[in-house]
Amino acid sequence: MQYVKKYFTEGLIQFTILLSLVGVRVDVDTYLNGYFSPLLETDEGPSSAYIQTPFHSSRDTWEGHSLHPKCPDLEQYFTARRLLTEVRALGTPRFPTQLSAWLVHSVSRDSDSGAAGAAPDPQSGGSGGPDRGDSAGPPPSPACELAEEDGELQRQDAGQSPEPAAGEEGEAEERAAAPELQGAPQEALAHSSTLDRENVLSSASSLSTLAQQPLLAAGVEHPWRELLSLSNLEDMEIEDPQQIPDAISRNVSLHDAMLSGDRDGRASWTGPGGSLEPAHATHPALLGALNLTAELFPLVENSSRDGAALSSLSGFLDEAVFEQINLMGLGLDGLGGLDSRILDELDSDSGLSLDSSFRSPGSPSASEASSLSHCEDEGAVGYSTDSDSLSGDAAAGASWSLKERRPQGTGRSPAQLAQGVLHDHTYSSPPPQRGSGPRGQQAGRGPLGAVKKEGGEEDELSRDERRARALDLPLSVQDIVNMPVEEFLELLSGFQLSDAQVALIRDIRRRGKNKVAAQNCRRRKLDAIAGLEGEVERLRRHRDRLLRDRAQHSKSLGCLKQRLGQLYRDVFRRLRDEQGRPVSPGRYALQCHSDGSVLLVPHRPGAQRRRPDRARKDKQH
DNA sequence: AATTCTTGTCATGCG
DNA sequence: GACGCATGACAAGAA
């Protein structure tokens, strides 16, 4: 009896793990918590030890598990996390290799030491585990997981699983180290089972009848083994996915099913016209099969409690994948950094805190430029394009004008002003090359700028410079533009200027300031574009990686669905009605409910969505 | 001659 | 309200 019980519960656990691996969350925490001894019972390897891994807890959040940071189980927990990450990175579960080796390792540790939570011993439980070194090491940091995943993907892309040979070897060594865990006769396993009392009671009675049917149990063993042996999943194909969902009912969790189920072992089920009665007494074979499905399908059911059929698991996967895409790639590491960077740029003062690499060789340092708005009295700002053309006659003119009419108290000599003219705080304009003619693409001028032509210096003056000369302004254009506002206003008030002169001076200053601002603005725009291009490239790589992951997961899911369909058919093949006739899966479907009851209802569209009470009415009829 | 690029300028909004 | 900065839009000139 223990053997049968353990057999099915182990199968349930394995199936739950499989669902977790393909992205389906199954709530089996309470049920599994410390109840089962992860003994190896099948020829496929140490599959039963999978229950030691809190897969679904670690799927959604690494912090979701209730382990205390100092709990000795934490290392085991992190090992499970890491292995889960690797298995997912593989896309297709490869239990016989790394995971199985670790699981057997865990079994060995638990069964040998009996000290729950003891630190993993690298030397115990075999010596060839492929991940032994890693599992004994410190838990991987979250930052390392992505790199790990990438590495795994790259290895798989290259057509090789991570250390396959080592995995097989490790498995063999594990078996050698723990002979009682593999290939043992079922009777021996039943004797060696360490299922505790609660375990037996939890799902007991539904299996008590089944235990009396060794034939059925042995018959069902095959589909379970078939379902759970994933080493050759890649070779499988989906036969009839549409057949699966009809057997699925809703709103049943494994925990509920097992704890609130029929403790008497009754599996209530119904058939048309009452031809199918509760069979725990009269049809043990049918009951056994129903109990099997009652334990199996709540898991599947729980995974699709939104009402979606199991056949929509692929859609499930798509949603999960794209949820992860939305949450992690685009949301966090992608746009977050981008936003902060752009905001930094947007918040930069006057755009003068940009990368110093854009400074022209003759320009001051970046710090000097960044302090422009506060230190304008230290020199001129920007206005490089016209300064060179002015430093000749215009600068001289400004000098003599200042000499003659400069009011007292400005604190600036013409030499200081002239020195300020040579400063270049722009980012895109190279230092002026006097007399070198047009400066490449920058030879272009605005509609009101000076047109550089071969000829006298008069032609090189900008419109403002010419106007300044025409109006005999006492200040150079550079002075007008770069002078601090206080000093500028002081000069304006000190000179006896006409309205036209004042207006021109203000326009010159405004245009000069705006020109520098436009240059800075364009530079920032280019920087932002360059940054976005890099970000797009990074996100594209991330998307490609996620698409590869999705393809692999879809492949695994297809294999799993094919296995499940096979199991479904096997279950129905063993079902018999009162007259001993086979029950056609085309006419009936299995419904599992939260109270543990299993109903066999006529198969028609929408039958799986019927309420249990309605189904019971059908049974009474 | 048409297109593209660069630059200056204006208008506008914001602090 | 003046001032400076940022930026979109436009135009002119050069390549």
Side-chain angles (χ1 to χ4, degrees), chain A residues 12 51 54 76 88 133 171 173 213 216 274 283 330 411 414 438 445 471 500 505 507 538 565 606:
Chain A
L12 284 174
I51 63 173
Q76 181 183 5
R88 284 177 179 155
E171 184 179 8
E173 293 183 10
Q213 307 297 324
L216 174 61
H283 301 286
L330 302 179
R445 296 298 180 94
L471 292 182
I505 287 175
D507 284 344
R538 192 191 65 81

Side-chain angles (χ1 to χ4, degrees), chain A residues 269-307:
Chain A
W269 59 298
T270 181
S275 61
L276 298 176
E277 294 295 329
H280 66 282
T282 58
H283 301 286
L286 173 59
L287 174 63
L290 286 178
N291 284 333
L292 167 64
T293 58
E295 292 197 26
L296 166 65
F297 289 112
L299 294 171
V300 183
E301 180 53 29
N302 189 31
S303 68
S304 57
R305 59 180 59 191
D306 286 337

